[in-house]
Amino acid sequence: MEEPGQLKRTLIDLTAGAISGAVSRTITSPLDVIKIRFQVQLEPTTHWTLLQRNAYGPSKYTGMLQATKDIFREEGLPGFWRGNVPALLMVMPYTAIQFTVLHKIKTFASGSSKSEDHINLSPYLSYVSGALAGCAATIGSYPFDLLRTVLASQGEPKAWNRYRSTDASQADDALSSFQLFLCGLAAGTCAKAVCHPLDVVKKRFQIEGLPRDPRYGARVEHRAYRNMHDALRRILQREGWAGLYKGIIPSIVKAAPAGAVTFVAYEFTSDWLESILS
């Protein structure tokens, strides 16, 4: 059975993780909606690929600015937060599980529950800890990720009518927050750049056979892909390398601030909870 101190740490990690995830997801929702629209669009999403012969019709979205204008014109501001409720239900348990499992694994690996001792872990152990935490978080939150994708990918045209202290003694904390911001920025950008093709494949599987308004282009037919390898091969064959990186620009633009906001919000919330629970 866990000691009171460990139970308190777990409670702090769960709560701070959930809050930081909710703040980050709500702020970056517009970029996420645009990214998903690109990922599920079978037609080309860049102007230069439009010049090539392909098996699909005209593209609904061809760039971030154009997509932003169209979504705002057809769906209004709420369109940029379409599917945000299930997204919050996904990201809050995701970040809660992620930070909690990450702290538990690092505590086991370092033999200490103190965060300052976790810094001395080797890059390899840090990588494995993060990977395992991410896997646990993904499994725990996947049903809501599926629901979020279905809602965010569907356009629905409609009419227009339709604690921060200023004390000088906080200077060191401010520097720490800036460092966390930079770490979150770099981590989020690198992770998205490497894993984006698999995210595209995941989105395609999630919307297989989903009815779609014709104006948003061809739909992903039921059983269009047999497995992950087949999906990667077919997308590469029919849409080229650009197909595997559809939505990469809004994804990276979103990942940088999302990672930064998540880490900073987590640290502030964690420190605040520790102060009131002490």
Side-chain angles (χ1 to χ4, degrees), residues 9 12 47 136 142 167 243 270 276 278:
R9 183 68 249 179
I12 290 174
H47 290 292
Y142 186 80
D167 254 3
S270 179
I276 65 175
S278 296

Side-chain angles (χ1 to χ4, degrees), residues 126-244:
S126 294
Y127 175 83
V128 172
S129 298
L132 291 175
C135 289
T138 299
I139 293 171
S141 62
Y142 186 80
F144 296 108
D145 183 35
L146 173 60
L147 182 57
R148 181 276 306 259
T149 298
V150 170
L151 292 176
S153 66
Q154 294 302 289
E156 185 181 320
K158 48 189 171 184
W160 273 91
N161 52 359
R162 279 262 307 156
Y163 141 170
R164 180 175 179 183
S165 172
T166 55
D167 254 3
S169 60
Q170 299 291 325
D172 289 340
D173 291 336
L175 179 61
S176 176
S177 296
F178 180 67
Q179 291 171 332
L180 285 167
F181 181 88
L182 292 180
C183 288
L185 192 74
T189 301
C190 292
K192 286 295 181 182
V194 172
C195 302
H196 191 80
L198 295 178
D199 192 40
V200 170
V201 170
K202 181 185 75 170
K203 294 296 188 295
R204 296 289 179 91
F205 274 117
Q206 288 178 327
I207 65 160
E208 264 190 350
L210 187 71
R212 197 174 191 190
D213 191 305
R215 78 184 69 195
Y216 291 94
R219 74 173 187 171
V220 179
E221 298 298 338
H222 186 56
R223 299 189 183 281
Y225 311 117
R226 293 194 299 273
N227 49 48
M228 183 180 73
H229 178 268
D230 181 58
L232 287 168
R233 182 181 63 81
R234 287 177 181 271
I235 294 174
L236 186 60
Q237 181 182 58
R238 297 177 181 177
E239 305 169 48
W241 283 101
L244 292 175

Side-chain angles (χ1 to χ4, degrees), residues 47-80:
H47 290 292
W48 68 270
T49 49
L50 290 174
L51 300 176
Q52 301 177 350
R53 294 286 181 183
N54 59 80
Y56 303 112
S59 302
K60 171 67 175 176
Y61 304 117
T62 57
M64 277 190 65
L65 184 59
Q66 179 267 335
T68 300
K69 289 179 178 178
D70 273 16
I71 293 173
F72 183 64
R73 185 181 66 251
E74 297 174 349
E75 306 167 49
L77 280 175
F80 293 105

Side-chain angles (χ1 to χ4, degrees), residues 20 99 102 180-181 183-185 187 258-268:
S20 62
F99 281 109
L102 183 61
L180 285 167
F181 181 88
C183 288
L185 192 74
V261 171
T262 299
F263 277 97
V264 173
Y266 172 80
E267 287 300 321
F268 270 102

